[in-house]
Amino acid sequence: MSIDLEGARCEEEAARLLPWYATGRLPAADVERVTQHLERCAICRDDLAHERALRLLMKSDDRVEYAPQAGLARTLARIDELGQDAPIPTLASDQPLALPARRTGASQWLIAAVVVQAIGLGVLGASLLHRTSPDAARPQYETLSASRAQVTPGPHIRAVFAPTMTLADLKTMLTAENLTIVRGPNDAGAYTLASIDAHVARGGLDSAIAALRSDARVLFVEPAINGEPAAR
Amino acid sequence: MEKLEIQPESLTSPRPGNDLERELIGRIAVGDRDAFRDLYLRYHRRLARFLTRLTHRYEDTEEIINDTLWIVWQRAGDFRNASRVSTWVMGIAYRRALKMIRRAATHERAMTLEIAEGEAAVADPVQVTEQRQVLERALAQLPIEQRLVLEFTYYMDYSCEEIAEIMECPVNTVKTRMFNARRKLRTILAESGTTGAGEGP
């Protein structure tokens, strides 16, 4: 049977609840009321079919995929930049927000400059230690990410990061994967990374390698084979 | 009269995750970054998809998401268990999005996003894409509050009461906005020569 219901409208309250009936988000009492109404109202049955089709169509737009890691790293860096180790415990509302300004192009360059400066200082420091320390024969490590981390003798990863990678982002990335820089960069710009967990097995770095590979800011990453010279 | 087979799709479906999210909020309130990371990743996907439908620009979406979760970090100590975590977070995102949309009318801009391959949800992606384009144009003509009620209802599966909480308005206002949105949508789709979503599956 086909009834032309185009233009017809039901003015009952139950008709206003159809969208949430279609999504299953009505309280039980309302469900009962709407169900009874639907049994006697052809207009609303037709409307319900429209609403369900509309919902399906709106949900069909789920083909877009996003990579959250970059945004997460930026937000964590924002927390780091303000030096807020803990959230503000009590504030009246979320509305009057003291959001920090968006990072400008100039500040991006400033961060890049800081990274370059830090790398330069690290290399210089390592060089001076090499000249003056009685333990010069033993490698000395200055890292950007984990000054308190222990350098482990376990398996290593070699990685090259994009020039646009900021110090904060690098720290966030390494912290997330329990990694620390043990050496580098070498002439090719490669760093040698190791787990901060001294007991990690060689295969234990697989997940970290996979994570680094999935990040567009990591240009190159591969496990360093035991005995193979690491990046210098 | 034949028996009706009109049943709500998820009447009694539990809304899992709220207990876990409350625990995460509690940990964030004392500065636990791992908990923040978990919550961020839980919300990024659903916020990104929802917001991109409104802003059409990934940069704007990303900014709203980051601002929203930044606020969550700052205000986690204010969260009261009377609300669902998702309602609270979505309310923050809603207010940020509304500001941005009103400021820049960004929903007019072109979307430039990478489309993942092989994820079509239905058998005929070409037809669905065409229908979606028609619907998208119709949705863009709705007042933003009406459109948001539609999105919260059909895309995010929020109840009427939850939407009222998110939008900070009476429940009846939500019902009225939805009623007007449906009516206007039908009119627009009829004028465009299609029944649009009316072609049921």
Side-chain angles (χ1 to χ4, degrees), chain A residues 21 25 39 47-48 50-53 55 62 65-66 80 87-88 91 93-94 99 102, chain B residues 1 6-7 9 28 33 49 58 63 70 73-75 78 95 154-155 157 182 186 197:
Chain A
Y21 186 89
R25 296 307 319 279
E39 288 177 354
D47 276 356
L48 182 61
H50 276 265
E51 298 307 318
R52 285 180 163 160
R55 179 184 186 227
D62 278 358
E65 288 296 336
Y66 303 90
D80 289 338
I88 300 166
L91 282 173
S93 135
D94 66 47
L99 289 169
R102 294 182 76 177
Chain B
M1 184 179 203
I6 303 168
Q7 293 295 327
E9 293 184 9
I28 291 169
R33 293 179 187 218
R49 291 183 169 182
Y58 189 57
E63 182 180 346
W70 165 255
W73 169 265
Q74 289 188 304
R75 306 282 194 263
D78 295 341
R95 287 185 285 279
Y154 286 138
Y155 194 67
D157 286 338
R182 291 166 59 204
R186 286 276 191 101

mmCIF file of all heavy atoms in Angstrom, chain A residues 21 25 39 47-48 50-53 55 62 65-66 80 87-88 91 93-94 99 102, chain B residues 1 6-7 9 28 33 49 58 63 70 73-75 78 95 154-155 157 182 186 197:
data_model
loop_
_atom_site.group_PDB
_atom_site.id
_atom_site.type_symbol
_atom_site.label_atom_id
_atom_site.label_comp_id
_atom_site.label_asym_id
_atom_site.label_seq_id
_atom_site.Cartn_x
_atom_site.Cartn_y
_atom_site.Cartn_z
ATOM 1 N N TYR A 21 13.676 8.228 19.211
ATOM 2 C CA TYR A 21 13.137 6.873 19.094
ATOM 3 C C TYR A 21 13.957 6.110 18.061
ATOM 4 O O TYR A 21 14.324 4.946 18.265
ATOM 5 C CB TYR A 21 11.674 6.941 18.668
ATOM 6 C CG TYR A 21 10.953 5.611 18.647
ATOM 7 C CD1 TYR A 21 10.308 5.117 19.785
ATOM 8 C CD2 TYR A 21 10.913 4.841 17.484
ATOM 9 C CE1 TYR A 21 9.644 3.907 19.763
ATOM 10 C CE2 TYR A 21 10.252 3.626 17.453
ATOM 11 C CZ TYR A 21 9.617 3.166 18.586
ATOM 12 O OH TYR A 21 8.956 1.964 18.562
ATOM 13 N N ARG A 25 17.491 6.363 21.983
ATOM 14 C CA ARG A 25 17.929 7.176 23.123
ATOM 15 C C ARG A 25 16.769 7.840 23.864
ATOM 16 O O ARG A 25 16.916 8.921 24.419
ATOM 17 C CB ARG A 25 18.928 8.244 22.668
ATOM 18 C CG ARG A 25 20.238 7.744 22.097
ATOM 19 C CD ARG A 25 20.992 6.745 22.992
ATOM 20 N NE ARG A 25 20.985 7.075 24.411
ATOM 21 C CZ ARG A 25 21.801 7.969 24.970
ATOM 22 N NH1 ARG A 25 22.656 8.599 24.247
ATOM 23 N NH2 ARG A 25 21.736 8.207 26.262
ATOM 24 N N GLU A 39 1.496 2.971 16.112
ATOM 25 C CA GLU A 39 0.536 1.953 15.674
ATOM 26 C C GLU A 39 -0.692 2.566 15.015
ATOM 27 O O GLU A 39 -1.356 1.918 14.207
ATOM 28 C CB GLU A 39 0.119 1.090 16.875
ATOM 29 C CG GLU A 39 1.235 0.160 17.335
ATOM 30 C CD GLU A 39 0.841 -0.623 18.570
ATOM 31 O OE1 GLU A 39 -0.256 -0.352 19.115
ATOM 32 O OE2 GLU A 39 1.638 -1.484 18.995
ATOM 33 N N ASP A 47 7.430 9.208 8.693
ATOM 34 C CA ASP A 47 8.488 10.094 9.203
ATOM 35 C C ASP A 47 9.634 9.292 9.818
ATOM 36 O O ASP A 47 10.808 9.633 9.646
ATOM 37 C CB ASP A 47 7.908 11.039 10.273
ATOM 38 C CG ASP A 47 7.263 12.270 9.644
ATOM 39 O OD1 ASP A 47 7.353 12.409 8.411
ATOM 40 O OD2 ASP A 47 6.679 13.084 10.390
ATOM 41 N N LEU A 48 9.274 8.250 10.536
ATOM 42 C CA LEU A 48 10.311 7.443 11.189
ATOM 43 C C LEU A 48 11.240 6.815 10.149
ATOM 44 O O LEU A 48 12.463 6.766 10.344
ATOM 45 C CB LEU A 48 9.671 6.357 12.059
ATOM 46 C CG LEU A 48 10.651 5.478 12.845
ATOM 47 C CD1 LEU A 48 11.483 6.316 13.816
ATOM 48 C CD2 LEU A 48 9.917 4.370 13.594
ATOM 49 N N HIS A 50 11.924 8.076 7.282
ATOM 50 C CA HIS A 50 12.777 9.183 6.821
ATOM 51 C C HIS A 50 13.903 9.434 7.812
ATOM 52 O O HIS A 50 15.057 9.632 7.424
ATOM 53 C CB HIS A 50 11.937 10.462 6.674
ATOM 54 C CG HIS A 50 11.225 10.556 5.371
ATOM 55 N ND1 HIS A 50 11.731 11.231 4.287
ATOM 56 C CD2 HIS A 50 10.028 10.038 4.964
ATOM 57 C CE1 HIS A 50 10.885 11.142 3.269
ATOM 58 N NE2 HIS A 50 9.839 10.421 3.656
ATOM 59 N N GLU A 51 13.552 9.468 9.087
ATOM 60 C CA GLU A 51 14.565 9.792 10.103
ATOM 61 C C GLU A 51 15.651 8.721 10.152
ATOM 62 O O GLU A 51 16.833 9.024 10.299
ATOM 63 C CB GLU A 51 13.907 9.943 11.478
ATOM 64 C CG GLU A 51 12.874 11.065 11.567
ATOM 65 C CD GLU A 51 13.429 12.398 11.087
ATOM 66 O OE1 GLU A 51 14.574 12.727 11.418
ATOM 67 O OE2 GLU A 51 12.708 13.115 10.362
ATOM 68 N N ARG A 52 15.238 7.463 10.027
ATOM 69 C CA ARG A 52 16.237 6.384 10.061
ATOM 70 C C ARG A 52 17.151 6.455 8.845
ATOM 71 O O ARG A 52 18.351 6.212 8.944
ATOM 72 C CB ARG A 52 15.532 5.027 10.137
ATOM 73 C CG ARG A 52 14.973 4.771 11.520
ATOM 74 C CD ARG A 52 14.283 3.440 11.613
ATOM 75 N NE ARG A 52 14.125 3.047 13.013
ATOM 76 C CZ ARG A 52 13.266 2.158 13.435
ATOM 77 N NH1 ARG A 52 12.469 1.545 12.581
ATOM 78 N NH2 ARG A 52 13.184 1.874 14.715
ATOM 79 N N ALA A 53 16.571 6.778 7.707
ATOM 80 C CA ALA A 53 17.380 6.905 6.493
ATOM 81 C C ALA A 53 18.330 8.092 6.615
ATOM 82 O O ALA A 53 19.507 8.022 6.210
ATOM 83 C CB ALA A 53 16.472 7.071 5.285
ATOM 84 N N ARG A 55 19.547 9.295 9.381
ATOM 85 C CA ARG A 55 20.605 8.923 10.320
ATOM 86 C C ARG A 55 21.666 8.060 9.633
ATOM 87 O O ARG A 55 22.874 8.277 9.804
ATOM 88 C CB ARG A 55 19.998 8.172 11.497
ATOM 89 C CG ARG A 55 21.017 7.716 12.513
ATOM 90 C CD ARG A 55 20.362 6.906 13.591
ATOM 91 N NE ARG A 55 21.298 6.571 14.643
ATOM 92 C CZ ARG A 55 21.418 5.353 15.153
ATOM 93 N NH1 ARG A 55 20.657 4.378 14.725
ATOM 94 N NH2 ARG A 55 22.292 5.127 16.112
ATOM 95 N N ASP A 62 31.778 8.211 7.545
ATOM 96 C CA ASP A 62 32.853 7.804 8.439
ATOM 97 C C ASP A 62 34.089 7.319 7.699
ATOM 98 O O ASP A 62 34.758 6.406 8.132
ATOM 99 C CB ASP A 62 32.356 6.701 9.381
ATOM 100 C CG ASP A 62 31.602 7.306 10.541
ATOM 101 O OD1 ASP A 62 31.516 8.538 10.612
ATOM 102 O OD2 ASP A 62 31.105 6.531 11.371
ATOM 103 N N GLU A 65 39.862 9.583 8.011
ATOM 104 C CA GLU A 65 40.716 9.130 9.107
ATOM 105 C C GLU A 65 41.661 10.246 9.519
ATOM 106 O O GLU A 65 42.124 11.015 8.693
ATOM 107 C CB GLU A 65 41.523 7.900 8.683
ATOM 108 C CG GLU A 65 40.684 6.641 8.556
ATOM 109 C CD GLU A 65 40.091 6.201 9.882
ATOM 110 O OE1 GLU A 65 40.650 6.564 10.929
ATOM 111 O OE2 GLU A 65 39.055 5.516 9.864
ATOM 112 N N TYR A 66 41.939 10.312 10.783
ATOM 113 C CA TYR A 66 42.799 11.364 11.300
ATOM 114 C C TYR A 66 43.949 10.731 12.085
ATOM 115 O O TYR A 66 43.804 9.665 12.649
ATOM 116 C CB TYR A 66 42.018 12.286 12.232
ATOM 117 C CG TYR A 66 40.816 12.896 11.582
ATOM 118 C CD1 TYR A 66 39.585 12.264 11.638
ATOM 119 C CD2 TYR A 66 40.915 14.088 10.889
ATOM 120 C CE1 TYR A 66 38.476 12.810 11.037
ATOM 121 C CE2 TYR A 66 39.816 14.645 10.275
ATOM 122 C CZ TYR A 66 38.593 14.000 10.354
ATOM 123 O OH TYR A 66 37.505 14.540 9.748
ATOM 124 N N ASP A 80 53.563 21.533 28.774
ATOM 125 C CA ASP A 80 54.955 21.679 29.198
ATOM 126 C C ASP A 80 55.401 23.128 29.176
ATOM 127 O O ASP A 80 56.101 23.594 30.069
ATOM 128 C CB ASP A 80 55.877 20.875 28.263
ATOM 129 C CG ASP A 80 55.726 19.385 28.473
ATOM 130 O OD1 ASP A 80 55.275 19.001 29.563
ATOM 131 O OD2 ASP A 80 56.044 18.627 27.550
ATOM 132 N N PRO A 87 46.759 20.042 36.710
ATOM 133 C CA PRO A 87 45.690 20.923 36.268
ATOM 134 C C PRO A 87 45.275 21.876 37.384
ATOM 135 O O PRO A 87 45.574 21.664 38.549
ATOM 136 C CB PRO A 87 44.544 19.962 35.954
ATOM 137 C CG PRO A 87 45.174 18.620 35.861
ATOM 138 C CD PRO A 87 46.367 18.656 36.742
ATOM 139 N N ILE A 88 44.570 22.933 36.947
ATOM 140 C CA ILE A 88 44.005 23.852 37.928
ATOM 141 C C ILE A 88 42.829 23.166 38.596
ATOM 142 O O ILE A 88 41.896 22.737 37.915
ATOM 143 C CB ILE A 88 43.541 25.133 37.234
ATOM 144 C CG1 ILE A 88 44.729 25.786 36.541
ATOM 145 C CG2 ILE A 88 42.898 26.095 38.211
ATOM 146 C CD1 ILE A 88 44.341 26.858 35.555
ATOM 147 N N LEU A 91 37.954 25.889 39.153
ATOM 148 C CA LEU A 91 37.612 27.125 38.465
ATOM 149 C C LEU A 91 36.133 27.056 38.147
ATOM 150 O O LEU A 91 35.574 25.984 37.914
ATOM 151 C CB LEU A 91 38.421 27.286 37.192
ATOM 152 C CG LEU A 91 39.867 27.747 37.394
ATOM 153 C CD1 LEU A 91 40.609 27.710 36.075
ATOM 154 C CD2 LEU A 91 39.947 29.140 37.990
ATOM 155 N N SER A 93 34.100 28.014 35.697
ATOM 156 C CA SER A 93 33.459 27.711 34.427
ATOM 157 C C SER A 93 34.507 27.407 33.387
ATOM 158 O O SER A 93 35.684 27.704 33.551
ATOM 159 C CB SER A 93 32.615 28.918 34.017
ATOM 160 O OG SER A 93 32.792 29.219 32.676
ATOM 161 N N ASP A 94 34.107 26.783 32.317
ATOM 162 C CA ASP A 94 35.086 26.505 31.274
ATOM 163 C C ASP A 94 35.109 27.624 30.247
ATOM 164 O O ASP A 94 35.841 27.562 29.287
ATOM 165 C CB ASP A 94 34.793 25.164 30.598
ATOM 166 C CG ASP A 94 33.496 25.158 29.835
ATOM 167 O OD1 ASP A 94 33.239 26.089 29.074
ATOM 168 O OD2 ASP A 94 32.734 24.213 30.004
ATOM 169 N N LEU A 99 43.354 30.713 27.160
ATOM 170 C CA LEU A 99 44.066 29.832 26.243
ATOM 171 C C LEU A 99 45.307 30.530 25.726
ATOM 172 O O LEU A 99 45.260 31.694 25.372
ATOM 173 C CB LEU A 99 43.171 29.479 25.060
ATOM 174 C CG LEU A 99 42.020 28.544 25.385
ATOM 175 C CD1 LEU A 99 41.062 28.503 24.206
ATOM 176 C CD2 LEU A 99 42.533 27.167 25.697
ATOM 177 N N ARG A 102 47.823 30.842 19.701
ATOM 178 C CA ARG A 102 48.258 29.802 18.771
ATOM 179 C C ARG A 102 49.717 30.032 18.429
ATOM 180 O O ARG A 102 50.172 31.160 18.328
ATOM 181 C CB ARG A 102 47.431 29.870 17.493
ATOM 182 C CG ARG A 102 46.006 29.524 17.708
ATOM 183 C CD ARG A 102 45.275 29.562 16.407
ATOM 184 N NE ARG A 102 45.571 28.398 15.589
ATOM 185 C CZ ARG A 102 44.989 28.181 14.419
ATOM 186 N NH1 ARG A 102 44.128 29.015 13.935
ATOM 187 N NH2 ARG A 102 45.275 27.110 13.740
ATOM 188 N N MET B 1 -4.586 -5.456 11.710
ATOM 189 C CA MET B 1 -3.415 -4.611 11.418
ATOM 190 C C MET B 1 -2.122 -5.419 11.612
ATOM 191 O O MET B 1 -1.968 -6.135 12.597
ATOM 192 C CB MET B 1 -3.410 -3.429 12.396
ATOM 193 C CG MET B 1 -2.303 -2.448 12.137
ATOM 194 S SD MET B 1 -2.387 -1.088 13.316
ATOM 195 C CE MET B 1 -1.537 0.162 12.429
ATOM 196 N N ILE B 6 8.702 -1.738 14.287
ATOM 197 C CA ILE B 6 9.427 -0.494 14.498
ATOM 198 C C ILE B 6 9.974 -0.500 15.915
ATOM 199 O O ILE B 6 9.248 -0.368 16.865
ATOM 200 C CB ILE B 6 8.497 0.714 14.309
ATOM 201 C CG1 ILE B 6 7.876 0.671 12.917
ATOM 202 C CG2 ILE B 6 9.252 2.006 14.529
ATOM 203 C CD1 ILE B 6 6.738 1.643 12.742
ATOM 204 N N GLN B 7 11.203 -0.764 16.029
ATOM 205 C CA GLN B 7 11.820 -0.824 17.350
ATOM 206 C C GLN B 7 13.027 0.094 17.405
ATOM 207 O O GLN B 7 13.766 0.192 16.428
ATOM 208 C CB GLN B 7 12.277 -2.254 17.676
ATOM 209 C CG GLN B 7 11.114 -3.228 17.851
ATOM 210 C CD GLN B 7 10.259 -2.887 19.063
ATOM 211 O OE1 GLN B 7 10.758 -2.403 20.065
ATOM 212 N NE2 GLN B 7 8.958 -3.104 18.939
ATOM 213 N N GLU B 9 16.727 1.198 17.992
ATOM 214 C CA GLU B 9 17.867 0.355 17.652
ATOM 215 C C GLU B 9 18.712 -0.047 18.843
ATOM 216 O O GLU B 9 19.309 -1.087 18.871
ATOM 217 C CB GLU B 9 18.733 1.071 16.619
ATOM 218 C CG GLU B 9 18.002 1.213 15.299
ATOM 219 C CD GLU B 9 18.865 1.832 14.245
ATOM 220 O OE1 GLU B 9 20.071 1.984 14.494
ATOM 221 O OE2 GLU B 9 18.341 2.177 13.178
ATOM 222 N N ILE B 28 43.533 12.720 35.642
ATOM 223 C CA ILE B 28 43.988 13.959 34.999
ATOM 224 C C ILE B 28 43.956 15.105 36.005
ATOM 225 O O ILE B 28 44.831 15.982 36.010
ATOM 226 C CB ILE B 28 43.110 14.279 33.772
ATOM 227 C CG1 ILE B 28 43.358 13.262 32.664
ATOM 228 C CG2 ILE B 28 43.374 15.694 33.252
ATOM 229 C CD1 ILE B 28 42.370 13.338 31.520
ATOM 230 N N ARG B 33 49.605 12.460 33.188
ATOM 231 C CA ARG B 33 49.671 12.687 31.732
ATOM 232 C C ARG B 33 49.317 11.435 30.935
ATOM 233 O O ARG B 33 48.832 11.535 29.816
ATOM 234 C CB ARG B 33 51.061 13.185 31.352
ATOM 235 C CG ARG B 33 51.327 14.551 31.911
ATOM 236 C CD ARG B 33 52.707 15.043 31.552
ATOM 237 N NE ARG B 33 52.936 16.288 32.279
ATOM 238 C CZ ARG B 33 53.567 17.320 31.788
ATOM 239 N NH1 ARG B 33 54.036 17.273 30.572
ATOM 240 N NH2 ARG B 33 53.739 18.409 32.501
ATOM 241 N N ARG B 49 35.785 13.795 13.658
ATOM 242 C CA ARG B 49 34.772 13.529 12.635
ATOM 243 C C ARG B 49 33.587 14.465 12.775
ATOM 244 O O ARG B 49 33.062 14.979 11.797
ATOM 245 C CB ARG B 49 34.326 12.077 12.738
ATOM 246 C CG ARG B 49 35.425 11.138 12.304
ATOM 247 C CD ARG B 49 34.991 9.708 12.332
ATOM 248 N NE ARG B 49 35.993 8.889 11.669
ATOM 249 C CZ ARG B 49 35.885 7.582 11.497
ATOM 250 N NH1 ARG B 49 34.824 6.958 11.932
ATOM 251 N NH2 ARG B 49 36.820 6.908 10.883
ATOM 252 N N TYR B 58 40.433 20.922 8.437
ATOM 253 C CA TYR B 58 41.082 20.112 9.451
ATOM 254 C C TYR B 58 41.874 20.965 10.438
ATOM 255 O O TYR B 58 41.956 20.642 11.618
ATOM 256 C CB TYR B 58 41.984 19.067 8.789
ATOM 257 C CG TYR B 58 42.511 18.075 9.784
ATOM 258 C CD1 TYR B 58 41.633 17.331 10.570
ATOM 259 C CD2 TYR B 58 43.873 17.898 9.962
ATOM 260 C CE1 TYR B 58 42.096 16.434 11.501
ATOM 261 C CE2 TYR B 58 44.344 16.994 10.890
ATOM 262 C CZ TYR B 58 43.454 16.264 11.652
ATOM 263 O OH TYR B 58 43.934 15.372 12.575
ATOM 264 N N GLU B 63 42.400 22.618 15.945
ATOM 265 C CA GLU B 63 42.509 23.668 16.951
ATOM 266 C C GLU B 63 41.417 23.518 18.015
ATOM 267 O O GLU B 63 41.682 23.647 19.216
ATOM 268 C CB GLU B 63 42.397 25.050 16.289
ATOM 269 C CG GLU B 63 42.566 26.183 17.301
ATOM 270 C CD GLU B 63 42.447 27.564 16.663
ATOM 271 O OE1 GLU B 63 42.505 27.653 15.432
ATOM 272 O OE2 GLU B 63 42.288 28.535 17.418
ATOM 273 N N TRP B 70 42.708 20.709 26.091
ATOM 274 C CA TRP B 70 43.509 21.579 26.969
ATOM 275 C C TRP B 70 42.636 22.074 28.131
ATOM 276 O O TRP B 70 43.054 22.099 29.286
ATOM 277 C CB TRP B 70 44.041 22.742 26.131
ATOM 278 C CG TRP B 70 44.572 23.919 26.883
ATOM 279 C CD1 TRP B 70 43.970 25.131 27.054
ATOM 280 C CD2 TRP B 70 45.832 24.011 27.568
ATOM 281 N NE1 TRP B 70 44.772 25.966 27.790
ATOM 282 C CE2 TRP B 70 45.913 25.310 28.121
ATOM 283 C CE3 TRP B 70 46.873 23.120 27.760
ATOM 284 C CZ2 TRP B 70 47.010 25.729 28.855
ATOM 285 C CZ3 TRP B 70 47.974 23.547 28.497
ATOM 286 C CH2 TRP B 70 48.037 24.824 29.024
ATOM 287 N N TRP B 73 42.121 19.334 30.544
ATOM 288 C CA TRP B 73 43.294 19.210 31.424
ATOM 289 C C TRP B 73 43.214 20.230 32.566
ATOM 290 O O TRP B 73 43.469 19.916 33.713
ATOM 291 C CB TRP B 73 44.568 19.420 30.616
ATOM 292 C CG TRP B 73 45.821 19.581 31.445
ATOM 293 C CD1 TRP B 73 46.399 20.743 31.847
ATOM 294 C CD2 TRP B 73 46.621 18.529 32.006
ATOM 295 N NE1 TRP B 73 47.512 20.490 32.603
ATOM 296 C CE2 TRP B 73 47.682 19.136 32.720
ATOM 297 C CE3 TRP B 73 46.552 17.138 31.972
ATOM 298 C CZ2 TRP B 73 48.648 18.399 33.389
ATOM 299 C CZ3 TRP B 73 47.528 16.399 32.638
ATOM 300 C CH2 TRP B 73 48.566 17.032 33.335
ATOM 301 N N GLN B 74 42.851 21.447 32.211
ATOM 302 C CA GLN B 74 42.814 22.508 33.210
ATOM 303 C C GLN B 74 41.653 22.356 34.194
ATOM 304 O O GLN B 74 41.768 22.697 35.352
ATOM 305 C CB GLN B 74 42.681 23.863 32.518
ATOM 306 C CG GLN B 74 43.929 24.305 31.781
ATOM 307 C CD GLN B 74 43.783 25.731 31.285
ATOM 308 O OE1 GLN B 74 42.848 26.048 30.556
ATOM 309 N NE2 GLN B 74 44.689 26.586 31.697
ATOM 310 N N ARG B 75 40.527 21.858 33.682
ATOM 311 C CA ARG B 75 39.303 21.883 34.490
ATOM 312 C C ARG B 75 38.891 20.517 35.021
ATOM 313 O O ARG B 75 37.778 20.369 35.505
ATOM 314 C CB ARG B 75 38.143 22.426 33.650
ATOM 315 C CG ARG B 75 38.400 23.769 32.994
ATOM 316 C CD ARG B 75 38.257 24.904 33.990
ATOM 317 N NE ARG B 75 38.167 26.179 33.302
ATOM 318 C CZ ARG B 75 39.207 26.986 33.116
ATOM 319 N NH1 ARG B 75 40.395 26.651 33.586
ATOM 320 N NH2 ARG B 75 39.054 28.132 32.484
ATOM 321 N N ASP B 78 37.177 20.223 38.187
ATOM 322 C CA ASP B 78 35.816 20.766 38.319
ATOM 323 C C ASP B 78 34.746 19.765 37.923
ATOM 324 O O ASP B 78 33.567 20.000 38.156
ATOM 325 C CB ASP B 78 35.646 21.995 37.405
ATOM 326 C CG ASP B 78 36.535 23.141 37.842
ATOM 327 O OD1 ASP B 78 36.977 23.122 38.995
ATOM 328 O OD2 ASP B 78 36.783 24.037 37.020
ATOM 329 N N ARG B 95 30.986 24.664 22.512
ATOM 330 C CA ARG B 95 31.141 26.118 22.696
ATOM 331 C C ARG B 95 32.345 26.646 21.919
ATOM 332 O O ARG B 95 32.298 27.733 21.353
ATOM 333 C CB ARG B 95 31.245 26.445 24.192
ATOM 334 C CG ARG B 95 29.916 26.297 24.917
ATOM 335 C CD ARG B 95 29.993 26.724 26.365
ATOM 336 N NE ARG B 95 30.676 25.757 27.216
ATOM 337 C CZ ARG B 95 30.099 24.657 27.708
ATOM 338 N NH1 ARG B 95 28.848 24.386 27.425
ATOM 339 N NH2 ARG B 95 30.766 23.824 28.479
ATOM 340 N N TYR B 154 21.867 12.400 15.447
ATOM 341 C CA TYR B 154 22.053 11.320 14.482
ATOM 342 C C TYR B 154 23.500 10.904 14.300
ATOM 343 O O TYR B 154 23.778 9.764 13.940
ATOM 344 C CB TYR B 154 21.455 11.716 13.133
ATOM 345 C CG TYR B 154 19.958 11.677 13.145
ATOM 346 C CD1 TYR B 154 19.202 12.666 12.543
ATOM 347 C CD2 TYR B 154 19.286 10.645 13.779
ATOM 348 C CE1 TYR B 154 17.824 12.635 12.564
ATOM 349 C CE2 TYR B 154 17.913 10.603 13.814
ATOM 350 C CZ TYR B 154 17.189 11.590 13.206
ATOM 351 O OH TYR B 154 15.835 11.543 13.235
ATOM 352 N N TYR B 155 24.409 11.826 14.480
ATOM 353 C CA TYR B 155 25.806 11.472 14.271
ATOM 354 C C TYR B 155 26.458 11.018 15.573
ATOM 355 O O TYR B 155 27.263 10.104 15.597
ATOM 356 C CB TYR B 155 26.566 12.655 13.681
ATOM 357 C CG TYR B 155 27.923 12.258 13.137
ATOM 358 C CD1 TYR B 155 28.020 11.432 12.028
ATOM 359 C CD2 TYR B 155 29.088 12.695 13.739
ATOM 360 C CE1 TYR B 155 29.244 11.042 11.533
ATOM 361 C CE2 TYR B 155 30.318 12.326 13.255
ATOM 362 C CZ TYR B 155 30.394 11.494 12.149
ATOM 363 O OH TYR B 155 31.611 11.109 11.670
ATOM 364 N N ASP B 157 24.594 10.293 18.477
ATOM 365 C CA ASP B 157 23.688 9.430 19.262
ATOM 366 C C ASP B 157 23.449 9.940 20.684
ATOM 367 O O ASP B 157 23.299 9.140 21.618
ATOM 368 C CB ASP B 157 24.216 7.989 19.310
ATOM 369 C CG ASP B 157 24.003 7.280 17.977
ATOM 370 O OD1 ASP B 157 23.128 7.710 17.200
ATOM 371 O OD2 ASP B 157 24.712 6.292 17.733
ATOM 372 N N ARG B 182 14.010 19.374 11.076
ATOM 373 C CA ARG B 182 13.451 18.313 10.217
ATOM 374 C C ARG B 182 12.521 18.915 9.169
ATOM 375 O O ARG B 182 12.544 18.525 7.999
ATOM 376 C CB ARG B 182 12.692 17.313 11.078
ATOM 377 C CG ARG B 182 13.591 16.481 11.976
ATOM 378 C CD ARG B 182 12.784 15.770 13.042
ATOM 379 N NE ARG B 182 11.781 14.882 12.495
ATOM 380 C CZ ARG B 182 10.682 14.501 13.152
ATOM 381 N NH1 ARG B 182 10.454 14.940 14.388
ATOM 382 N NH2 ARG B 182 9.811 13.692 12.603
ATOM 383 N N ARG B 186 13.292 18.900 5.123
ATOM 384 C CA ARG B 186 12.362 18.306 4.149
ATOM 385 C C ARG B 186 12.036 19.320 3.040
ATOM 386 O O ARG B 186 12.008 18.972 1.862
ATOM 387 C CB ARG B 186 11.058 17.918 4.851
ATOM 388 C CG ARG B 186 11.151 16.697 5.727
ATOM 389 C CD ARG B 186 10.967 15.435 4.885
ATOM 390 N NE ARG B 186 10.797 14.294 5.752
ATOM 391 C CZ ARG B 186 9.614 13.744 6.024
ATOM 392 N NH1 ARG B 186 8.511 14.243 5.495
ATOM 393 N NH2 ARG B 186 9.541 12.709 6.827
ATOM 394 N N ALA B 197 17.226 11.979 2.094
ATOM 395 C CA ALA B 197 17.316 10.887 3.043
ATOM 396 C C ALA B 197 16.039 10.091 3.115
ATOM 397 O O ALA B 197 15.977 9.068 3.763
ATOM 398 C CB ALA B 197 17.665 11.431 4.425
#
